[in-house]
Amino acid sequence: MIGPPGRDMIAVVARAGGSILRAGGWADILVATAGPSDLVARLNASGAGPVVDARFARGCAPLPAL
């Protein structure tokens, strides 16, 4: 999911009842796993921006250290 800059995305996931799998490549991107079946609606209601299926979010992964 993508959040607006400055929003506490960890709190958004917690309020929605999801679990964080990993951070994305930027501070406002997190990869979360579903808890409740209506997690997407709960994330949106909690302040998340666009929610993208993780299968399509590979471009959001952090870059490996060189």
Side-chain angles (χ1 to χ4, degrees), residues 11-52:
V12 168
V13 174
R15 281 192 305 269
S19 298
I20 297 170
L21 293 178
R22 63 180 169 81
W26 294 275
D28 57 344
I29 297 176
L30 289 177
V31 178
T33 186
S37 61
D38 61 344
L39 182 63
V40 172
R42 288 170 166 253
L43 287 168
N44 288 327
S46 295
V51 178
V52 180

